[in-house]
Amino acid sequence: MTDDVTNALAQDQVIDITTIGRQSDEPRRIEIWYHRLGGRYYITGTPNRPRSWYANLVAHPEFTFHLKQSATADLPATARPITDHSEREELFAGILPPLGDLGETYPAATWIEDSPLVEVTFTPAG
């Protein structure tokens, strides 16, 4: 990765992702936030709502992570849905505090039980 990409991954928050539709097999692009914890990258969403992007990643884990704030890059990636309760507890303990009021919209237990959560692994292009 270039220095611009590495710096953007360290400081940016808003990205687009392109997933493959689980039913349509067509590309689907949305804007979303990502989170950095312990040198790893995660995508989540607020609780209690079905998420097409999450269902798409469960069906087709390969996707594109589009940087668009301080740098522009299309990074091939793979999503790993995080379903283990203790892993989710640990991760949300780090994700929620920086969100401020948004993180307090729901009790932590609701985020842990009802929010989509994936770990992002960047894959070599090609």
Side-chain angles (χ1 to χ4, degrees):
M1 287 189 201
T2 66
D3 287 346
D4 286 350
V5 167
T6 301
N7 291 337
L9 286 170
Q11 68 187 17
D12 292 352
Q13 185 174 39
V14 178
I15 58 167
D16 286 352
I17 61 172
T18 298
T19 62
I20 300 301
R22 71 193 175 285
Q23 296 174 340
S24 69
D25 283 329
E26 295 291 326
R28 303 287 184 224
R29 186 169 177 152
I30 63 159
E31 182 176 85
I32 198 163
W33 287 11
Y34 72 100
H35 311 276
R36 295 165 297 284
L37 290 173
R40 294 183 177 187
Y41 303 92
Y42 301 91
I43 300 172
T44 190
T46 53
N48 299 325
R49 292 184 6 195
R51 303 296 178 143
S52 293
W53 66 264
Y54 181 72
N56 292 345
L57 289 175
V58 169
H60 303 286
E62 294 78 25
F63 71 105
T64 305
F65 187 105
H66 304 280
L67 292 172
K68 63 180 195 172
Q69 286 186 291
S70 65
T72 303
D74 299 328
L75 306 174
T78 303
R80 177 181 69 90
I82 299 173
T83 57
D84 178 76
H85 186 79
S86 1
E87 185 178 11
R88 291 174 63 82
E89 279 182 322
E90 181 180 332
L91 292 171
F92 277 114
I95 290 171
L96 295 178
L99 295 179
D101 290 344
L102 178 61
E104 296 170 4
T105 304
Y106 299 95
T110 302
W111 285 90
I112 294 163
E113 295 299 324
D114 296 323
S115 293
L117 179 62
V118 298
E119 181 179 6
V120 175
T121 302
F122 297 106
T123 54

